[in-house]
Structures are given as structure tokens and as C-alpha cells.
Amino acid sequence: MAAISHRREKGARTFSTMPDSAVRLLSVVKNYDRQRAVDNLSLEVPAGSIYGFIGPNGSGKTTTLRLILHLILPDQGIVEVLGERGTRAANDRIGYLPEERGLYKKMTVQRQIGYFGRLKGVSGPLIRKRTEYWLDRLGLADRIGAKTESLSKGMRQKVQFITAVIMKPDILILDEPFSGLDPLNLETIRKEILQLKREGTTILLSTHDMTAAENMCDNIFMIDGGKKVLDGPLSKIQENFGQDTIRVRLRGNEFNSWETLPGVSAVRDQGRYQELRFKGDSGEIIEQLSRLGVVEHFEIVQPSLHDIFLRLAAGDKPPEKESEPSDE
Ligand code: ATP
């Protein structure tokens, strides 16, 4: 079934049909020489969602994004973009912010954005209108005539973001969009990404920022060694891990044998508190802790995405999904 996406631009409205899945990969394999970068990968990105790509360095995130963009071809498997297997949709309907930034130093901001807009087939008047709109939104209106070499790193990053959205893409691929941004600019870009999602854009967000992934993404996909190790809504993923984490702080903080506590299998020093992975009776731990000193903080929580990432990257298997209870 196809849904209709409504894309609005200051009064003007365009309609385009959008399949339920913006991107589909089926059993995709990609090798570089003898290195297998993507290993039998299947995934489906729901249209209109923010889909988070996470994974250790060198795990295959950028390669997967480049496959979706049709910048490289798979050795095996199928890559489908907006229901198409050819290059047209990938060329015409995906905006891309690459990890390796590339602006022409001597070009002005306006020419730079115009250049990328024309590459994507946007008409001159629309480029001008959208350039003004975006520079204004991102606080760069007074830099329209400046050469990019005269901009700060954060400003260049924002210009590069504009080059990715100037075509008003149906799918926006952002590879590490927050790297090098101060908290203020990070917030600006974060808000714009969420606004684009509200307008119907599907966003693929590759990031090492686990807090951003946790807060922004509808679905989280984790790749390790080219293989999918996690895929689904964060709430479901966390649910599967269960409430197996204790955050605790003892006054004075002199105790340092946390792993000897009953049921504790791993300890992470978070600085202001300790994070313990445990299985069993929390009452027993509370009892032991209260014998050790004054417990200033104690809570039982689901693991954070950061913690889940560390566990999976260390080779832990994700917990088996509980089967849904039958209504009958
Ligand atoms: P990072 O988080 O560090 O950006 P990544 O998850 O994006 O990493 P990729 O860049 O996709 O990882 O790399 C996956 C694997 O493929 C790595 O082992 C890398 O060395 C290899 N690789 C990537 N590009 C090439 C290339 N052009 N030629 C040869 N090997 C490559």
C-alpha cells in the first residue's frame, strides 16, 4: 500500500506517492578486496521515520549508506529505494550529508548551495528562495556572500546541511550530522531534523551520539562486523533486555568491590554513580549495600542505548524476544 506524503513550502504544496518502506535491503553483501564490509544484511526503513544507524568504527555503517545511495553496488542482494531498484530514486530523491565534509573553500555560501541544488535538478528561483529560507533558519543570513573558508567549523557544517536539504529530499541521509557542533548548534540542527520528519521526510541518521539516537530515533539499527545485531524500536529493544541495571551511589564512595555483590555480573563506573548489571533478588543487594554505608542513590532501570551498544560490541548476544501471548 502506498501513502501520500504532503510536503509544504510556504503555501505551495506538492504531493508525491511514498511506499510504506522508504528503503529496503535484502540479503545484501559488499566486499572490498578480501574484506567483507556488509554481510548478508536485510533491513527495512519505514517511510516518514527517523532510523538510527549505530555501530562501532569500521562496522559497515557508511558502506551501507553508500549502497543505499547507489554510490557503490552490492556484490549480492537487492537495494530498493522508494520502491525502485535502479539509480533514479537514489539520485533524485535522497539528500546526503556525508561524514567526510566537502565544500569548495573559495566559493561563496550562496554559490556553494546553488551548485549542489543544480546538481540535484532544482531550478534557479527555487534555489534562491530555499537558500534564503535555510540561511535564515540556521542563523547564517549575513554570511550568504562569504567564502566558505572564512566560516567557522560549525558554520561550515550548517552550510553542508543546507546542501543536503536544498533539493527537499524524500529521504535524508545524515552521516554524523552532530560532529563538531557546539550544544547550541547541535540543538538547532536537531530541531530541523525533527521538523523535516514532521513534514514527511524519512531520515537515516548515522551517529556515535547515543543520547541523540536514543532521543530522536523511532527505530535503532546496529551493525557490527557488517552484520545486523539490533533492529527495531528502542522501547522494544530495551524491553527485551529488561530492568537488569542498578544505578547506585554510596556516601563517601570508598567501596570498590561491586562485582562481589550477589547477582552482579558487570560493573561500570559512571563517575557520580556505579552502574551494575544484575540478575536475581534486588532486595539482597539493597540489604548488603545498606550494611556498607549510606545509600544516597538507588534505582533499577532498563539499560541505556549506550550500555546496550557496549554489551553487543563486546560480543554479548541480544536477549531472545519474548513471544507475544496469544489472545485465544
Ligand atoms: P566509522 O564509524 O569509523 O565511520 P563505518 O561503520 O562507517 O565506520 P565503513 O566505513 O563502512 O564503517 O567500513 C566498513 C569496513 O570496510 C571497514 O573494515 C573498512 O576498513 C572497510 N572499507 C570501507 N571503505 C573501504 C574502501 N573504499 N576500500 C577498502 N575497504 C574499505
Coordinates of all heavy atoms in Angstrom, one line a residue, residues 148 150 153 158 227 250 255:
T148 N 33.5 30.1 1.9 CA 33.3 29.1 3.0 C 34.6 29.0 3.8 O 34.5 28.6 5.0 CB 32.9 27.7 2.4 OG1 33.7 27.4 1.3 CG2 31.5 27.6 2.0
S150 N 36.1 31.2 5.1 CA 36.1 32.2 6.2 C 35.1 31.8 7.3 O 34.9 32.5 8.3 CB 35.7 33.6 5.6 OG 34.3 33.6 5.3
K153 N 34.0 26.1 11.8 CA 33.7 24.7 11.5 C 32.2 24.5 11.7 O 31.5 23.8 10.8 CB 34.4 23.9 12.5 CG 34.4 22.4 12.2 CD 35.3 21.7 13.2 CE 35.1 20.2 13.1 NZ 35.6 19.4 14.2
K158 N 26.8 23.7 9.0 CA 25.4 24.1 8.8 C 25.2 24.3 7.3 O 24.1 24.0 6.7 CB 25.0 25.3 9.6 CG 24.9 25.0 11.1 CD 24.1 26.0 11.9 CE 25.0 27.2 12.2 NZ 24.3 28.2 13.1
K227 N 27.4 -7.2 10.1 CA 26.2 -7.9 10.4 C 25.2 -7.1 11.3 O 25.7 -6.4 12.2 CB 26.5 -9.2 11.1 CG 27.2 -10.3 10.3 CD 27.3 -11.5 11.2 CE 27.5 -12.8 10.4 NZ 28.6 -12.9 9.6
L250 N 27.0 5.3 46.9 CA 27.2 5.2 48.4 C 27.9 6.4 48.8 O 28.8 6.9 48.2 CB 28.1 4.0 48.7 CG 27.5 2.6 48.7 CD1 28.5 1.6 49.1 CD2 26.2 2.5 49.6
F255 N 33.8 2.1 48.7 CA 33.6 0.7 48.3 C 34.0 0.5 46.9 O 33.6 1.3 46.0 CB 32.2 0.3 48.6 CG 31.9 -1.1 48.3 CD1 32.5 -2.1 49.0 CD2 31.0 -1.5 47.3 CE1 32.2 -3.5 48.8 CE2 30.7 -2.8 47.0 CZ 31.3 -3.8 47.7

